[in-house]
Amino acid sequence: MSKDKNIDEELELFRTEMSDAEPIKHDKLLHIKPPPQPKVRKHIPSDLVNDQSEFSSLFAPETVGNEEYLEYRGDGIQNRQFAKLKSGRVHLEAELDLHGLTLAKAEPTLSHFLEQCQEQKIRCVRIIHGKGWGSRDNKPVLKSKLNHWLRQSDAVLAFCSTTIEDGGTGALYVLLKRQFER
């Protein structure tokens, strides 16, 4: 018996068995829309790279999960401000997309981006890192490193994974310190 003949027989058997089935009618159908494309509010070129690294590589950070929610809250962050950040009710002034970059390219790009944000008095940004599904062994290497790097940065007050609409666990909202002129 050929493979096509088996498929045809199975399809006919399925249709026969389902002939008296009635469609289920309900009004609770969940339509899942793809996340919207990020909108750049104030573009800072990600191809500008600083040769000096601000981040320590003395120890390997703990690997986080692909879908793991990340958050960090530095000293002095008010509960209300952090709640606003977590709910996405913040005005994003810039965005950096690191998704798909190697660690060697991502680290200096991040360092330069944070420096530029501070110079331009930018307070809240979104950093897209991806979930790591395309990495070797489907491990989120960049996400894990970013979690580690941002905690080390003097420019960062707090960060957390974004809302589903802004990328979910594949991106971060980052609240930056005000840089006072001396």
Side-chain angles (χ1 to χ4, degrees), residues 35-41 43 46 70 92 94-102 106-107 109-110 113-114 125-132 142-144 146-147 149-150 159-174:
Q37 291 298 317
K39 295 176 186 149
V40 176
R41 288 166 178 84
H43 184 69
S46 63
L70 299 180
L92 297 174
E95 178 177 278
L96 176 65
D97 190 352
L98 297 174
H99 186 236
L101 294 184
T102 63
E107 183 180 12
T109 301
L110 173 66
F113 175 75
L114 294 175
V125 300
R126 176 173 47 179
I127 299 176
I128 302 168
H129 50 72
K131 295 184 181 182
L142 186 56
K143 180 178 179 178
S144 297
L146 193 61
N147 183 39
W149 291 337
L150 290 176
F159 66 84
C160 62
S161 293
T162 63
T163 60
I164 295 296
E165 297 80 28
D166 279 345
T169 56
L172 295 170
Y173 295 129
V174 183

Side-chain angles (χ1 to χ4, degrees), residues 52-61 103-104 106-108 145-146 148-149 152:
Q52 297 176 349
S53 174
E54 154 183 4
F55 309 109
S56 169
S57 297
L58 295 178
F59 64 94
L103 290 177
E107 183 180 12
K145 283 286 194 179
L146 193 61
H148 176 66
W149 291 337
Q152 290 181 32

Side-chain angles (χ1 to χ4, degrees), residues 28-151:
K28 296 185 182 186
L29 182 61
L30 178 63
H31 295 280
I32 299 176
K33 297 178 189 175
Q37 291 298 317
K39 295 176 186 149
V40 176
R41 288 166 178 84
K42 192 174 205 178
H43 184 69
I44 297 175
S46 63
D47 58 346
L48 296 174
V49 178
N50 188 352
D51 292 335
Q52 297 176 349
S53 174
E54 154 183 4
F55 309 109
S56 169
S57 297
L58 295 178
F59 64 94
E62 180 180 323
T63 300
V64 297
N66 303 74
E67 296 290 344
E68 186 174 340
Y69 182 88
L70 299 180
E71 78 176 34
Y72 164 77
R73 181 176 172 176
D75 294 336
I77 298 296
Q78 297 174 350
N79 292 338
R80 197 165 80 199
Q81 180 67 24
F82 194 64
K84 271 181 74 175
L85 187 69
K86 287 174 70 170
S87 65
R89 293 180 293 126
V90 290
H91 174 67
L92 297 174
E93 298 173 81
E95 178 177 278
L96 176 65
D97 190 352
L98 297 174
H99 186 236
L101 294 184
T102 63
L103 290 177
K105 181 84 171 159
E107 183 180 12
T109 301
L110 173 66
S111 181
H112 182 74
F113 175 75
L114 294 175
E115 183 180 296
Q116 289 294 311
C117 287
Q118 290 241 284
E119 287 176 12
Q120 295 179 27
K121 296 179 175 37
I122 292 173
R123 290 276 294 162
C124 193
V125 300
R126 176 173 47 179
I127 299 176
I128 302 168
H129 50 72
K131 295 184 181 182
W133 294 117
S135 299
R136 183 178 305 153
D137 300 325
N138 290 326
K139 302 232 186 226
V141 177
L142 186 56
K143 180 178 179 178
S144 297
K145 283 286 194 179
L146 193 61
N147 183 39
H148 176 66
W149 291 337
L150 290 176
R151 290 170 192 266

